[in-house]
Amino acid sequence: MTEQTAPARRTEEEIRATVAAVISDMAPKDGVEVTAESHLIKDLGYHSLALMEVAFAIEDEFDLDPIDEDTARKITTVGAVQDLVVKRLAERDGA
């Protein structure tokens, strides 16, 4: 019988880098630098359908519950997405 270990927790830096990579990979505008200050709509060209798709991708990547609509409407920058994911993972993992 083999012993299964829990997956290693990602550091906050790894979480933020992964979120930025997903957002960058799915951004409608090509060749745009993605920083924490980048605005999802204005700078990266996201529209409502693309925002839903990136939300689903991030939820899948981190095995998170869906983001409620009120919270989603308040998220305007890459940094805000990163903060939300870090917060949700900390709450889930009891950190």
Side-chain angles (χ1 to χ4, degrees):
M1 186 180 241
T2 60
E3 186 178 320
Q4 290 201 354
T5 58
R9 284 190 184 169
R10 300 182 200 191
T11 65
E12 183 174 333
E13 185 176 304
E14 291 169 332
I15 293 166
R16 289 180 181 279
T18 301
V19 169
V22 170
I23 291 171
S24 178
D25 290 347
M26 296 180 74
K29 286 186 181 176
D30 289 330
V32 178
E33 182 181 1
V34 174
T35 68
E37 293 79 27
S38 297
H39 284 263
L40 297 169
I41 295 170
K42 184 173 54 173
D43 298 331
L44 304 178
Y46 276 93
H47 50 79
S48 58
L49 180 59
L51 287 170
M52 287 177 52
E53 290 173 346
V54 80
F56 293 146
I58 290 170
E59 289 163 4
D60 286 347
E61 175 69 30
F62 294 99
D63 193 27
L64 295 172
D65 290 333
I67 299 167
D68 63 89
E69 191 174 336
D70 287 339
T71 301
R73 289 183 189 276
K74 296 174 187 171
I75 296 172
T76 59
T77 65
V78 173
V81 178
Q82 293 168 322
D83 292 344
L84 179 66
V85 172
V86 167
K87 178 182 175 216
R88 290 243 175 126
L89 289 174
E91 289 170 352
R92 183 187 72 194
D93 297 340

